[in-house]
Amino acid sequence: KDRVFSYSPSPNGFRNLIMRFDLVGSGGLYTNVDDLFLWDQNFYHNKLGKGRQDLIRKMETDGVLNSGESAGYAFGLQNGEHRGLKTIGHGGALAGYRTFHIRYPDQNFSVIVLANISSFDSGGKAREVAEIFLKDEFKDQSGAGDEADRKDATEASLTESQLKRFTGHYFSPESGILVQVTVEAGKLQFHREGSTKTTMLPLSKDSFRVLDGSLRLLIIFAEKEESGPVMRAEIDGGPVFEFEPYKPASYTAEELSALTGRYFSQEVNAYYELKKERDGLRLYIADQNIGSLRPVRKSLFINDKIGLFEFKVARSGKPSGFILNAGRVRNLKFVRQ
């Protein structure tokens, strides 16, 4: 009773996205704002386990990589910063549901947003609410005020020729994300592979604000003599990814044929087969056509369903295998048979 269904925009109105699985984990939870408020307050006065704050401190501690650097993720929580204030929270997206829970622990202030349409920016809305209530407490006041006013003020100082310096193709080896930056109608556009174009709001001569889905990105460009502008993206005040510029690659039919064959991964005990067909290179798994492999740059291809394929070439000039980056699965090794 009173369950809220989720929706996504469609050309003829809205499409109802109904969930029909019984998993309890990340998606099969039913809740409301009142219940989430009880969950929120438990971070300040823990009643779970032995009732001590040790559990909470553990949940809020980032994982550590072998290098000693933070993994940028705690136990189902993300530590971040919003205009100088510490934040802890997490977003959720499944079907058309878009949710966000963000805490400002030093201010004992939280925002919970529950939405049921896929186009809703729950993370951005949560921060907008915080900007109203915590207006006088933000340490960084550069973002204060109406965003539309800031947009007019900053765009006036950047000409189209200045914006064109940042255009091009960018790739993040760490995240496997591809981005194209263009100029349209005097505005810089951010186009992530698999997503729609988004206008980049200039904040200074080399920094921009981007709303990419439910994520808010701070984009900063830095010049490198050997490669041109490098793009750094800070996600929701948290992890930073560096994007390298690259030139899109093109392959001859002969070069594509050299990549064909069967590849085996011992880690997942699976064979992937690449075939050269009329429209290019195609991926087959268990004799099922998974789609084409489109060239990105030299030795790097993308499949829309699986992810990024980076080929390793032996001294003979023939591929010895490839490394697959499929979202949360990275560096999966396949050897050519």
Side-chain angles (χ1 to χ4, degrees):
K1 184 182 178 181
D2 297 330
R3 173 185 174 182
V4 175
F5 291 104
S6 72
Y7 300 84
S8 67
S10 69
N12 300 318
F14 297 94
R15 185 163 60 99
N16 190 351
L17 303 178
I18 300 175
M19 303 305 303
R20 290 193 175 92
F21 61 81
D22 58 0
L23 298 176
V24 176
S26 61
L29 291 171
Y30 294 84
T31 190
N32 54 48
V33 172
D34 291 332
D35 284 350
L36 284 173
F37 175 71
L38 296 176
W39 173 255
D40 172 86
Q41 291 300 294
N42 193 75
F43 284 102
Y44 300 102
H45 309 287
N46 179 37
K47 296 180 181 179
L48 300 176
K50 297 179 180 179
R52 299 198 302 258
Q53 287 300 106
D54 296 352
L55 174 63
I56 304 303
R57 284 192 288 270
K58 182 71 172 177
M59 288 181 66
E60 296 175 350
T61 302
D62 280 356
V64 179
L65 303 175
N66 291 339
S67 64
E69 296 180 0
S70 168
Y73 198 80
F75 285 76
L77 295 171
Q78 285 183 297
N79 291 293
E81 184 180 283
H82 181 196
R83 288 173 50 190
L85 299 184
K86 176 180 174 59
T87 62
I88 305 173
H90 208 288
L94 186 67
Y97 298 107
R98 296 295 182 267
T99 63
F100 209 83
H101 173 211
I102 187 169
R103 292 189 296 119
Y104 297 76
D106 296 336
Q107 285 69 41
N108 194 20
F109 181 82
S110 304
V111 182
I112 298 165
V113 175
L114 303 178
N116 66 326
I117 184 168
S118 61
S119 58
F120 189 81
D121 173 25
S122 56
K125 188 60 64 177
R127 288 175 174 79
E128 288 177 9
V129 171
E131 289 185 358
I132 294 173
F133 285 90
L134 302 179
K135 180 179 179 181
D136 298 328
E137 299 198 40
F138 285 114
K139 298 175 183 178
D140 175 11
Q141 294 294 333
S142 61
D146 185 77
E147 188 164 285
D149 292 338
R150 287 189 285 120
K151 182 176 179 180
D152 293 339
T154 53
E155 283 189 349
S157 63
L158 292 178
T159 65
E160 188 164 331
S161 61
Q162 288 176 310
L163 294 174
K164 284 183 176 179
R165 292 189 302 118
F166 306 121
T167 60
H169 293 81
Y170 295 86
F171 171 62
S172 168
E174 184 180 0
S175 66
I177 296 175
L178 299 165
V179 171
Q180 184 178 7
V181 177
T182 58
V183 173
E184 296 180 13
K187 297 179 180 179
L188 216 55
Q189 301 292 320
F190 182 92
H191 187 199
R192 178 169 57 90
E193 179 78 28
S195 185
T196 57
K197 290 182 181 178
T198 307
T199 299
M200 301 175 69
L201 170 67
L203 302 177
S204 69
K205 65 178 183 179
D206 54 13
S207 65
F208 298 80
R209 181 74 66 190
V210 177
L211 180 62
D212 183 27
S214 62
L215 297 177
R216 283 195 170 190
L217 310 179
L218 173 62
I219 304 294
I220 299 176
F221 290 94
E223 291 287 343
K224 282 191 175 180
E225 294 182 3
E226 66 276 14
S227 61
V230 172
M231 184 174 71
R232 295 187 177 94
E234 178 183 295
I235 302 175
D236 282 331
V240 177
F241 295 103
E242 185 166 296
F243 289 76
E244 306 168 350
Y246 73 91
K247 293 183 179 179
S250 60
Y251 280 76
T252 65
E254 184 179 358
E255 289 172 328
L256 291 177
S257 296
L259 300 176
T260 60
R262 297 185 81 204
Y263 295 79
F264 178 70
S265 170
Q266 187 175 8
E267 293 177 272
V268 294
N269 192 30
Y271 285 94
Y272 282 15
E273 186 171 6
L274 300 181
K275 297 181 180 180
K276 169 68 175 64
E277 298 182 0
R278 263 190 263 179
D279 60 346
L281 208 58
R282 282 197 165 264
L283 170 65
Y284 286 81
I285 302 176
D287 294 326
Q288 292 189 17
N289 186 345
I290 308 301
S292 64
L293 260 66
R294 295 180 286 111
V296 177
R297 64 179 187 184
K298 184 175 175 59
S299 300
L300 186 68
F301 289 72
I302 188 170
N303 174 271
D304 292 333
K305 295 180 180 179
I306 303 295
L308 286 162
F309 294 69
E310 186 168 2
F311 287 89
K312 303 299 179 182
V313 180
R315 291 182 179 180
S316 63
K318 296 181 179 181
S320 59
F322 62 77
I323 298 296
L324 174 62
N325 285 324
R328 295 180 179 180
V329 177
R330 300 183 191 175
N331 299 320
L332 193 60
K333 185 177 180 181
F334 282 78
V335 178
R336 195 166 192 252
Q337 301 298 289

